[in-house]
Amino acid sequence: MTKLSLEMYLNQNLSTKTAESYIYTINHFLKTNPKAKRFKFQDIVSYMEQVSSKQSNIQYRVRILSAIKRYYDYLVMAGLRNDHPCKKLNIKNKQNPSIQVQDLFSSEELQLLLTRENRYQYLDSRNSVLLSLLIYQGLTSEELTELKIKDIDLDAGTIYIKASTNQNRRTLELLNRQMIVFSKYLNEVRPELLRCNTDKLLLSKLGKPISVDGIHAIIEPSKPLFPDRNLNPRTIRMSVICNWLNEKKIPLEKVQELAGHKWPGTTEKYFKVDSLQQRELINRFFPL
């Protein structure tokens, strides 16, 4: 293994800033642990216990563990290890509790939202665009209201989400099934809906930029599909993030980027815990 190979792997899978941070953390980990290449689960737990004793900041510790996980991802990918010693090791934060994933929605359940028809054809097209951005890209209501026409690049098949106080900026891929829907809305439907001078992507039925309340109103008629759970734009986004991690097994760092989370600890809350033993280990070695 060469440093360049590791750097190339990280830069291919992470943003430049995150890759640089992880390279620094991994190099320190390897320098202080010469036998790290052969570490087992308990070795990493012991190392993180040392980190915990020196640094109480939960986000710092989560970043250290995330970088170490990525190092072992690389070893497995390169054929230098057959197993990943800490893939399911997470840091429990009592001040930042895990999401109640049992109350969220599966990918199949979210698909049901796209089957609802609207009596107005133009609103059907608008709703398809809006709902697809909720259930495929996991956008927040605020991000939906801020989208502009220029943020959609149909040639590249991407959508740009600008940064906000709580979210990082990011460029996300559109699914193939979204391309025709977006093209029809942009070229045919939106011009017919438009009743004011605005470059905002999503319009209300009155032809003005849609509001957060307007987005909630679009979700409201679908609530009877799940009478025992709370369906709203926020729980839809939470479900999407949870499904990325647990259904699709997308790596934590990639999900963090897709969701726009500023800290990996925010993303880590969405992991489903598979084992009581794992929870006991985390509580034992990472108390707050």
Side-chain angles (χ1 to χ4, degrees):
M1 181 186 70
T2 64
K3 180 180 178 182
L4 181 61
S5 298
L6 178 59
E7 287 180 347
M8 289 177 62
Y9 172 75
L10 293 174
N11 280 299
Q12 287 174 356
N13 292 277
L14 303 169
S15 66
T16 301
K17 184 177 180 181
T18 301
E20 290 176 353
S21 173
Y22 279 17
I23 289 168
Y24 177 85
T25 300
I26 291 170
N27 284 339
H28 177 75
F29 173 63
L30 297 178
K31 183 177 180 179
T32 55
N33 298 276
K35 298 181 180 180
K37 186 176 178 180
R38 297 185 295 277
F39 267 15
K40 297 185 181 299
F41 176 82
Q42 193 58 50
D43 296 318
I44 298 168
V45 169
S46 297
Y47 175 75
M48 291 305 301
E49 184 183 18
Q50 296 174 27
V51 173
S52 178
S53 66
K54 298 176 182 178
Q55 176 57 256
S56 61
N57 185 292
I58 184 69
Q59 300 293 354
Y60 176 85
R61 287 148 54 192
V62 168
R63 183 179 64 80
I64 296 296
L65 182 57
S66 296
I68 292 173
K69 284 184 174 183
R70 184 60 74 166
Y71 166 66
Y72 289 106
D73 284 339
Y74 169 77
L75 293 184
V76 172
M77 182 278 300
L80 299 174
R81 281 191 70 134
N82 295 322
D83 64 316
H84 192 304
C86 58
K87 192 174 186 66
K88 294 186 177 181
L89 177 62
N90 300 307
I91 294 177
K92 185 177 179 65
N93 181 3
K94 294 180 181 178
Q95 296 176 341
N96 195 17
S98 297
I99 301 296
Q100 298 302 308
V101 296
Q102 70 274 8
D103 297 329
L104 300 181
F105 307 92
S106 68
S107 296
E108 290 76 14
E109 288 174 324
L110 292 179
Q111 287 289 333
L112 295 176
L113 302 180
L114 292 173
T115 63
R116 173 179 162 259
E117 295 184 1
N118 196 294
R119 58 179 174 171
Y120 300 108
Q121 180 181 359
Y122 290 151
L123 295 186
D124 257 346
S125 178
R126 189 275 318 270
N127 289 355
S128 294
V129 169
L130 188 152
L131 291 170
S132 75
L133 289 171
L134 280 172
I135 70 173
Y136 296 136
Q137 282 77 32
L139 302 191
T140 68
S141 295
E142 291 75 15
E143 288 172 337
L144 288 170
T145 63
E146 293 300 318
L147 285 176
K148 298 181 178 180
I149 295 176
K150 67 179 182 180
D151 296 327
I152 306 295
D153 187 340
L154 291 181
D155 291 331
T158 60
I159 179 170
Y160 173 75
I161 315 299
K162 71 177 185 179
S164 65
T165 303
N166 298 318
Q167 306 293 133
N168 287 330
R169 63 181 175 86
R170 57 209 189 273
T171 299
L172 303 175
E173 292 185 6
L174 295 172
L175 302 185
N176 290 335
R177 70 190 72 172
Q178 291 177 282
M179 300 297 287
I180 295 177
V181 174
F182 273 69
S183 179
K184 179 180 179 180
Y185 175 74
L186 287 169
N187 297 314
E188 301 176 23
V189 175
R190 188 183 179 279
E192 292 294 330
L193 278 174
L194 188 62
R195 294 292 183 273
C196 66
N197 183 20
T198 179
D199 61 350
K200 291 294 180 66
L201 175 67
L202 297 169
L203 304 177
S204 70
K205 64 181 179 180
L206 298 178
K208 298 179 180 180
I210 199 165
S211 65
V212 170
D213 287 342
I215 294 172
H216 279 261
I218 291 172
I219 302 299
E220 188 73 23
S222 296
K223 287 188 174 182
L225 290 171
F226 312 102
D228 58 338
R229 283 176 287 173
N230 187 16
L231 179 70
N232 57 52
R234 181 172 178 269
T235 57
I236 292 173
R237 170 176 162 82
M238 292 167 65
S239 299
V240 172
I241 297 170
C242 182
N243 294 336
W244 281 338
L245 281 171
N246 300 292
E247 284 186 14
K248 300 182 180 179
K249 307 298 182 184
I250 300 176
L252 174 71
E253 295 82 4
K254 181 63 176 177
V255 173
Q256 179 190 349
E257 292 182 22
L258 291 173
H261 291 156
K262 292 183 179 294
W263 297 98
T266 304
T267 314
E268 205 166 52
K269 294 188 298 180
Y270 292 85
F271 269 121
K272 290 183 180 178
V273 179
D274 298 323
S275 142
L276 178 61
Q277 181 181 11
Q278 180 184 337
R279 293 199 297 271
E280 291 175 346
L281 273 173
I282 293 171
N283 288 329
R284 175 183 174 189
F285 289 111
F286 303 114
L288 291 178

